[in-house]
Amino acid sequence: MTKMILPGQTIGIIGGGQLGRMMALAAKEAGFKIAVLDPAMDSPTGQVADVQIVAPYNDMHALEELAEASDVITYEFENIDVEGLEKLTEIAYVPQGSELIRITQNRIFEKQAISEAGVPIADYVTASSYEELEQKSSELSFPFVVKTARGGYDGKGQQTVKSKEELPLAKPLFQNGDCVAEAFIEFTKEISVIIQRNVHGEMTILPIGENIHRDHILHQTIVPAPVKEATIQQAKEAAEKIAGHLNMIGTLAVEMFVLENGRIIVNELAPRPHNSGHYSIEGTNISQFHQHVRAICGWPLRKPKLWADTVMVNILGEHVAPLTSKISHYPNWSVHLYGKDEAKHKRKMGHVTILTEDLKRTLTEIDESGIWPE
């Protein structure tokens, strides 16, 4: 069943973080109303919503209230209750369904799905206990990375193991359940492909960017990614295969490693708008948030076009004060702050986007601003 959701109707969002906020602002431009479910009273999305439901994500009464208030429901992050989402699909219009969340919440299911789509991934083994990991570790070469099957983000929930002697470092991860051990990939760049698909099966892909991390947290996305056209085509084909295999609706971010020979290896999936796509608000003719709204509402998708070379830089808690003290020096910077109440260290508080005709000069300007010291 598909529906055309029109301006004046209400989009429900599960999750009240910054992704939901930017999604809500994009939807409001087209005249939609917003309902949000989040445990926090003053969530970033709640600040701009028409209806705010404050409750845990697995509260069935709250989900029923969201269903009653909404004409279509989406989500802004993947760590929501799958059982609650499944029940919600029975009483509300949730075009994305719950299967994509079930798969992407679990790295084992995710890797199986990517492989079934015919897309290359790193060699891996699964283990439900540390003892099983010890037995299977000989199937991989050192170094390899052990990750919890569920949870973990921005480098949390994982451990690099460089030798047999270091294997016990991964033991605490099993307190959270099953784990995956992946071969360590020697890559030259990391890129992310943000693919969007509407309820009619129409797909579009945003211009592909290179991601640069610091302390396992995304620091910069540079668009277009400085890779060969053959690599871009491989990346797009891989994303299309995965999206088609999963029958995905909405937004899927596919993070990939680029190898020395230009080929790609898929690292992981995120079934929602992604930090690396924030540049699209200013950098393209259709942002990932506007396109996501179109996708779930049954509208035709717009072919993305990059206006100019673009850099997105994350603002973490420690960057807020230096940034706000220097805003007057950088008229070409677009500043986005997410309305979070406390600027904690390493917490994502916002981002800056810069369109440029001289990428090298802009990257130097960012470094010399002193806002993001290494």
Side-chain angles (χ1 to χ4, degrees):
M1 178 185 68
T2 63
K3 296 180 182 179
M4 174 77 84
I5 308 300
L6 299 173
Q9 293 185 279
T10 300
I11 298 173
I13 302 174
I14 302 174
Q18 63 263 27
L19 299 178
R21 179 189 181 94
M22 288 181 273
M23 196 187 296
L25 292 172
K28 279 181 165 286
E29 286 182 18
F32 291 103
K33 295 177 182 176
I34 298 296
V36 61
L37 168 63
D38 191 87
M41 176 64 73
D42 190 39
S43 68
T45 313
Q47 293 168 14
V48 299
D50 301 279
V51 177
Q52 189 175 186
I53 301 167
V54 181
Y57 301 121
N58 61 353
D59 185 325
M60 202 58 217
H61 292 297
L63 288 167
E64 289 171 356
E65 187 178 345
L66 183 67
E68 183 67 29
S70 307
D71 297 289
V72 62
I73 293 176
T74 185
Y75 45 78
E76 63 110 35
F77 77 128
E78 57 268 45
N79 292 318
I80 56 179
D81 183 65
V82 173
E83 290 184 5
L85 188 60
E86 286 176 355
K87 292 176 182 176
L88 187 62
T89 62
E90 298 172 5
I91 60 172
Y93 181 47
V94 189
Q96 293 163 277
S98 60
E99 182 65 5
L100 184 60
I101 286 288
R102 186 189 71 81
I103 290 170
T104 53
Q105 275 186 354
N106 187 302
R107 286 191 171 95
I108 297 173
F109 299 161
E110 183 175 282
K111 289 184 180 299
Q112 290 170 344
I114 296 169
S115 294
E116 289 167 1
V119 172
I121 58 173
D123 293 336
Y124 73 97
V125 297
T126 64
S128 57
S129 67
Y130 175 71
E131 291 70 28
E132 186 178 1
L133 176 65
E134 283 185 304
Q135 294 168 8
K136 290 183 174 181
S137 62
S138 60
E139 298 177 33
L140 297 173
S141 299
F142 293 104
F144 56 75
V145 184
V146 184
K147 300 178 180 179
T148 55
R150 293 179 61 88
Y153 63 95
D154 289 345
K156 299 179 177 68
Q158 60 181 264
Q159 176 66 52
T160 300
V161 177
K162 298 177 182 177
S163 65
K164 189 174 182 179
E165 290 70 32
E166 287 191 0
L167 199 58
L169 293 174
K171 195 169 186 177
L173 297 177
F174 287 91
Q175 295 173 2
N176 296 317
D178 296 349
C179 289
V180 173
E182 306 173 355
F184 188 84
I185 300 296
E186 293 286 350
F187 61 93
T188 60
K189 289 180 172 59
E190 181 188 297
I191 60 174
S192 55
V193 182
I194 296 176
I195 186 167
Q196 300 182 288
R197 184 174 181 270
N198 69 9
V199 296
H200 307 296
E202 180 187 5
M203 288 191 280
T204 60
I205 294 176
L206 281 176
I208 296 171
E210 177 189 5
N211 295 331
I212 297 169
H213 291 80
R214 288 186 183 174
D215 299 326
H216 302 287
I217 300 172
L218 182 64
H219 169 55
Q220 281 181 353
T221 297
I222 300 170
V223 191
V227 297
K228 294 179 179 178
E229 183 59 31
T231 299
I232 294 292
Q233 290 308 312
Q234 287 176 43
K236 288 181 176 180
E237 288 170 10
E240 288 171 350
K241 284 181 180 179
I242 294 168
H245 176 72
L246 295 174
N247 200 28
M248 181 274 295
I249 292 170
T251 303
L252 183 70
V254 186
E255 296 183 34
M256 306 181 186
F257 296 133
V258 180
L259 308 183
E260 186 70 42
N261 62 6
R263 302 197 67 81
I264 57 98
I265 294 284
V266 170
N267 180 31
E268 61 185 16
L269 309 177
R272 48 165 173 78
H274 193 259
N275 194 170
S276 63
H278 292 352
Y279 81 88
S280 62
I281 297 174
E282 285 86 17
T284 65
N285 62 332
I286 180 78
S287 79
Q288 64 172 340
F289 302 103
H290 290 86
Q291 197 86 294
H292 182 82
V293 170
R294 285 173 167 265
I296 63 168
C297 290
W299 290 23
L301 303 184
R302 183 179 301 165
K303 184 177 179 180
K305 175 183 177 182
L306 187 67
W307 294 127
D309 289 357
T310 305
V311 182
M312 187 281 301
V313 194
N314 267 334
I315 303 166
L316 305 183
E318 60 269 33
H319 305 141
V320 173
L323 172 75
T324 51
S325 70
K326 296 181 179 181
I327 284 176
S328 62
H329 300 298
Y330 302 104
N332 294 327
W333 292 15
S334 296
V335 177
H336 297 255
L337 290 171
Y338 303 148
K340 294 183 179 179
D341 56 351
E342 187 178 352
K344 296 179 182 177
H345 187 70
K346 299 299 180 190
R347 187 186 194 190
K348 291 177 183 175
M349 302 298 295
H351 69 269
V352 167
T353 305
I354 311 165
L355 277 64
T356 179
E357 296 178 356
D358 188 333
L359 185 58
K360 185 177 180 180
R361 183 189 298 171
T362 296
L363 292 173
T364 299
E365 178 183 81
I366 291 167
D367 290 340
E368 291 180 348
S369 73
I371 297 167
W372 296 275
E374 290 194 42

